[in-house]
């Protein structure tokens, strides 16, 4: 029976890879897992669950520590499990090098007792990732903290990837912010990191919800993002069955959804009671998942809660799975947690809920949502997705002109066609050379590109048509000399010609890369295009 199960899994994985190879250019499946090396694990809290099953995740980590020969790199928020600390000390005794980074607010007193050194994270927000890397070739990830209750008494998901040593080194560079693109790719799987690419994570979640055809199932610990709530509401109203399971006490967004999602969508409260009390403090008993399943074909999971702090401040990671066998494992996990949950039927609106006017910008095959609070002194809401903030500034949109309604979300679509090429471009412009002349500035390309769109992230994109001079096998695109000074300020440029479109970005030497340009470069990479560094200009 076991052999049959293995053969079926292999066939499913082969089928999945064959299908994915045909659809590698489709939306959001650019960062699927190219090699079926994943091992998926779940914690199984419950007072009636056999101890052997409850400790499966715990045993896996202990085994990986014990098998490590050269190095263990760890990145986490909590780390206080006694057996794991003992195993780490034994690893150091046999010569294994430890490199551990934790949250700056945590004291890690238990680790100190075992002389386990843990460096403090000194960047923004909470150090919320949960990663262990063994000998640079095996990586353990999860939604749960490395504590006794996190691994055993909370509901969580974990996965293990086999990596090439070079990939393990690159992963560590990302985790330590020596590499800041926010986009890690490997033979085993791909990750997106927040805060450096937090908006990409929000975009993937929202666009996946927008494109769902019949079913959305999610498990979430914390949810305060109204953009995700709005997308879930829209999905339920177009006939998608939306089912969410929340930790207790439920956040206001989950409570609001329980009242406003269309039938047969439903919100549930998880009722895990597997906790312990130490010194008057409760440990365990949580739904700590951050997992969403779309149409039973795509799993979106990571350390990322549905909050603006996860997007913009905290150290987070996020990935997806499309392998049918793995998706089914997550579907069974969702059903298991649902079996221990109860339906939430909320009659009252939660207090302190903002109401919004929503501006919808449809660009590049996605919709970005700009949120304006209808009350308060700061009407623009920072939860707004994508580059909606930069677009509304560039177009001087002020949040007015919405219909009056008692609905929490009142929406209208705005045209932004002048931005379309900026969001659809995938390939860099094949620049051969740049030349500053006394009265002009030349960009030399192999073929003519007569139409240029230049955006500074603050004003409406400028449309330019350079004077094109054809010389043998190259085309000189001649601009006014002042164009070079504009490029030094930080611009994203798209040129279009008969052969298609290409981009380049520019910035002044010594200046930080503008956030809107970083976002567009990350988006190009996420969509399967080629990311190219910006051209540098002295100021």
């Amino acid at each position: 029976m076991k052999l049959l199960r293995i053969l079926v899994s292999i066939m499913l994985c082969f089928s999945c890879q064959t299908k994915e190879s045909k659809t590698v250019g489709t939306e959001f499946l650019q960062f699927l897992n190219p090699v079926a090396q994943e091992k998926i694990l779940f914690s199984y809290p419950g007072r009636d669950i056999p101890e052997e099953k409850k400790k499966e995740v715990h045993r896996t980590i202990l085994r990986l520590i014990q098998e490590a020969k050269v190095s263990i790199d760890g990145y986490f928020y909590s780390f206080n499990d006694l057996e794991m600390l003992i195993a780490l000390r034994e690893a150091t005794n046999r010569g294994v090098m430890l490199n551990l980074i934790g949250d700056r607010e945590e004291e890690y007193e238990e680790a100190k007792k075992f002389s386990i050194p843990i460096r403090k994270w000194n960047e923004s927000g909470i150090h919320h990732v949960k990663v262990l890397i063994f000998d640079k070739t095996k990586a353990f990830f999860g939604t749960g903290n490395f504590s006794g209750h996190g691994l055993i008494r909370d509901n969580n998901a974990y996965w293990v990837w086999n990596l090439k040593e070079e990939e393990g080194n690159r992963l560590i560079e990302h985790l330590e912010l020596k590499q800041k693109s926010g986009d890690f790719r490997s033979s085993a799987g791909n990750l997106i990191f927040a805060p450096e690419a937090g908006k990409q994570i929000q975009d993937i979640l929202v666009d996946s919800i927008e494109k769902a055809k019949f079913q959305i199932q999610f498990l979430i610990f914390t949810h305060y993002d109204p953009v995700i709530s709005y997308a879930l509401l829209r999905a339920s109203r177009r006939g998608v069955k939306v089912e969410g399971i929340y930790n207790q006490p439920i956040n206001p967004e989950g409570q609001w959804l329980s009242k406003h999602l269309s039938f047969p969508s439903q919100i549930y409260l998880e009722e895990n009671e597997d906790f312990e009390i130490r010194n008057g403090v409760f440990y365990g008993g949580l739904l700590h998942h951050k997992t969403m399943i779309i149409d039973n074909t795509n799993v979106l999971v990571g350390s990322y809660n549905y909050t603006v702090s996860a997007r913009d401040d905290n150290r987070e990671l996020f990935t997806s799975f499309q392998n049918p066998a793995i998706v089914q494992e997550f579907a069974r996990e969702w059903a298991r947690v649902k079996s221990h949950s109860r339906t939430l039927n909320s009659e009252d609106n939660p207090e302190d809920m903002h109401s919004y006017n929503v501006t919808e910008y449809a660009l590049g095959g996605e919709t970005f949502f700009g949120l304006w609070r209808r009350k308060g002194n700061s009407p623009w809401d920072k939860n707004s997705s994508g580059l909606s903030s930069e677009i509304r500034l560039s177009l001087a949109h002020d949040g007015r002109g919405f219909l009056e309604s008692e609905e929490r979300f009142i929406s209208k679509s705005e045209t932004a066609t002048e931005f379309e090429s900026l969001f659809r471009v995938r390939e860099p412009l094949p620049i051969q050379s740049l030349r500053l002349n006394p009265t002009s500035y030349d960009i030399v390309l192999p073929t003519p590109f007569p139409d240029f769109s230049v955006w500074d992230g603050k004003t409406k994109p400028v449309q330019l048509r350079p004077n094109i001079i054809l010389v043998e096998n190259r085309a000189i695109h001649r601009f006014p000399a002042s164009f070079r000074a504009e490029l030094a300020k930080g611009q994203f440029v798209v040129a279009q010609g008969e052969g298609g479109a290409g981009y380049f970005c520019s910035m002044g030497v010594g200046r930080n890369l503008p956030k809107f340009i970083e976002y567009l470069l990350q988006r190009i990479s996420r969509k399967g295009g080629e990311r190219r560094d910006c051209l540098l200009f002295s100021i």
Side-chain angles (χ1 to χ4, degrees):
M1 179 61 71
K2 184 175 181 181
L3 179 60
L4 178 61
R5 195 179 308 144
I6 293 172
L7 289 172
V8 170
S9 297
I10 292 172
M11 292 174 65
L12 283 171
C13 291
F14 179 78
S15 173
C16 171
Q17 289 178 328
T18 302
K19 182 178 179 181
E20 287 167 357
S21 67
K22 295 178 181 177
T23 60
V24 71
T26 58
E27 300 295 321
F28 295 120
L29 297 188
Q30 299 302 323
F31 92 130
L32 50 79
N33 295 314
V35 180
Q37 300 188 71
E38 306 92 353
K39 179 179 181 181
I40 308 299
L41 299 163
F42 302 101
S43 52
Y44 294 99
R47 301 187 185 279
D48 299 325
I49 303 296
E51 203 70 9
E52 185 78 5
K53 187 171 185 178
K54 287 181 70 170
K55 291 193 172 183
E56 181 182 2
V57 175
H58 189 256
R59 285 198 314 274
T60 298
I61 297 176
L62 288 176
R63 176 178 56 78
L64 291 170
I65 294 174
Q66 292 160 1
E67 291 175 351
K69 294 178 174 60
V70 178
S71 64
I72 299 175
D73 298 86
Y75 306 85
F76 43 75
Y77 178 72
S78 295
F79 201 110
N80 59 14
D81 180 76
L82 179 61
E83 291 183 76
M84 289 170 59
L85 290 169
I86 292 172
L88 286 176
R89 184 175 65 180
E90 292 174 348
T92 61
N93 290 340
R94 64 177 185 268
V96 175
M97 298 295 295
L98 299 185
N99 172 42
L100 307 177
I101 296 181
D103 186 73
R104 64 172 171 263
E105 299 296 330
E106 294 293 301
E107 294 300 326
Y108 303 105
E109 295 293 345
E110 294 83 357
K112 293 176 183 177
K113 295 174 185 176
F114 289 88
S115 300
I116 303 295
I118 299 177
R119 292 186 288 138
K120 297 296 184 73
W121 178 252
N122 291 318
E123 300 293 333
S124 70
I126 297 171
H127 191 249
H128 200 240
V129 292
K130 303 93 169 55
V131 187
L132 293 171
I133 304 170
F134 304 93
D135 296 334
K136 310 293 192 295
T137 59
K138 193 176 291 288
F140 182 99
F141 307 90
T143 65
N145 293 308
F146 299 133
S147 59
H149 59 274
L151 298 168
I152 297 171
R153 299 182 186 277
D154 296 339
N155 284 296
N156 278 301
Y158 304 89
W159 60 100
V160 182
W161 285 349
N162 294 323
L163 300 172
K164 300 172 184 176
E165 186 173 345
E166 173 271 329
E167 294 169 341
N169 284 318
R170 281 196 295 107
L171 175 56
I172 290 169
E173 288 180 355
H174 277 276
L175 287 162
E176 300 198 3
L177 268 183
K178 296 173 183 176
Q179 219 297 353
K180 299 183 179 181
S181 70
D183 181 9
F184 168 76
R185 293 168 182 266
S186 75
S187 58
N190 306 311
L191 300 167
I192 294 181
F193 290 94
E196 56 267 44
K199 283 204 168 185
Q200 304 297 325
I201 298 174
Q202 185 191 39
D203 284 353
I204 291 170
L205 285 164
V206 170
D207 195 67
S208 298
I209 293 168
E210 286 284 292
K211 290 181 169 61
K213 294 180 174 61
F214 63 89
Q215 185 179 65
I216 299 170
Q217 299 169 314
F218 64 96
L219 303 152
I220 192 63
F221 179 65
T222 304
H223 174 191
Y224 284 99
D225 186 345
V227 173
I228 290 178
S229 297
Y230 178 58
L232 291 169
L233 177 70
R234 283 162 54 99
S236 75
R237 288 183 173 177
R238 68 172 184 269
V240 175
K241 185 177 182 181
V242 177
E243 294 183 285
I245 306 176
Y246 284 77
N247 181 62
Q248 294 194 62
I250 190 170
N251 302 135
E253 293 295 336
Q255 186 179 347
W256 184 87
L257 286 171
S258 72
K259 182 178 179 181
H260 293 89
L261 291 177
S262 300
F263 180 83
S265 298
Q266 186 64 61
I267 297 299
Y268 304 91
L269 282 179
E270 190 265 353
E271 294 192 309
N272 175 18
E273 296 182 350
D274 189 357
F275 58 84
E276 59 181 337
I277 303 174
R278 298 197 304 268
N279 300 321
V281 179
F282 285 78
Y283 295 92
L286 301 178
L287 171 66
H288 206 251
H289 265 280
K290 298 98 173 121
T291 302
M292 183 175 290
I293 309 169
I294 305 291
D295 290 337
N296 214 29
T297 59
N298 190 20
V299 174
L300 308 170
V301 65
S303 66
Y304 184 96
N305 280 301
Y306 304 159
T307 67
V308 72
S309 58
R311 187 191 74 183
D312 295 346
D313 299 313
N314 296 347
R315 194 72 181 123
E316 311 280 3
L317 62 78
F318 180 86
T319 192
S320 70
F321 298 98
Q322 291 82 37
N323 183 315
I326 291 174
V327 174
Q328 287 309 305
E329 287 193 63
F330 276 93
R332 287 191 292 271
E333 166 70 357
W334 190 91
R336 182 189 68 82
V337 176
K338 181 185 175 184
S339 70
H340 299 288
S341 304
R342 65 177 174 86
T343 302
L344 176 65
N345 293 309
S346 178
E347 295 299 326
D348 300 320
N349 279 321
E351 298 179 359
D352 301 322
M353 296 291 289
H354 290 292
S355 297
Y356 299 97
N357 292 337
V358 184
T359 303
E360 300 174 1
Y361 300 104
L363 292 166
E366 297 178 41
T367 302
F368 304 104
F369 300 112
L371 271 57
W372 307 80
R373 296 182 184 180
R374 294 207 287 273
K375 295 181 180 179
N377 297 324
S378 301
W380 181 258
D381 191 277
K382 61 183 179 181
N383 288 283
S384 300
S385 68
L387 291 183
S388 55
S389 179
E390 289 80 359
I391 294 170
R392 60 104 182 182
L393 287 172
S394 297
L395 297 177
H397 290 162
D398 57 9
R400 300 178 183 176
F402 288 82
L403 298 173
E404 293 292 330
S405 173
E406 296 298 318
E407 291 272 334
R408 183 187 179 201
F409 297 101
I410 306 173
S411 65
K412 70 172 181 177
S413 297
E414 290 281 6
T415 57
T417 54
E418 51 268 83
F419 294 88
E420 187 65 31
S421 65
L422 303 171
F423 283 82
R424 287 200 177 275
V425 69
R426 297 288 181 270
E427 301 303 323
L429 198 63
I431 296 175
Q432 295 179 339
S433 64
L434 303 169
R435 185 170 59 223
L436 178 63
N437 307 309
T439 60
S440 64
Y441 186 72
D442 293 346
I443 297 178
V444 181
L445 299 165
T447 58
F449 286 80
D451 297 302
F452 279 67
S453 181
V454 184
W455 189 35
D456 63 1
K458 302 172 185 176
T459 57
K460 188 180 294 189
V462 176
Q463 308 303 316
L464 300 177
R465 293 184 65 85
N467 181 28
I468 298 176
I469 305 167
L470 298 177
V471 180
E472 296 179 346
N473 60 344
R474 58 199 176 109
I476 299 172
H477 297 67
R478 183 153 290 173
F479 298 86
S482 59
F483 186 47
R484 184 193 177 282
E486 293 301 314
L487 292 175
K489 295 177 183 178
Q491 307 281 352
F492 192 85
V493 182
V494 173
Q496 299 188 74
E498 291 183 2
Y503 78 91
F504 72 90
C505 57
S506 64
M507 59 184 290
V509 173
R511 291 186 174 180
N512 293 326
L513 182 65
K515 288 186 176 180
F516 84 97
I517 294 179
E518 180 62 46
Y519 171 91
L520 289 169
L521 294 176
Q522 290 169 346
R523 189 173 189 276
I524 286 168
S525 178
R526 173 166 63 86
K527 294 288 189 176
E530 180 184 347
R531 174 174 175 145
R532 184 74 56 85
D533 290 340
C534 291
L535 302 175
L536 296 178
F537 293 86
S538 58
I539 301 172

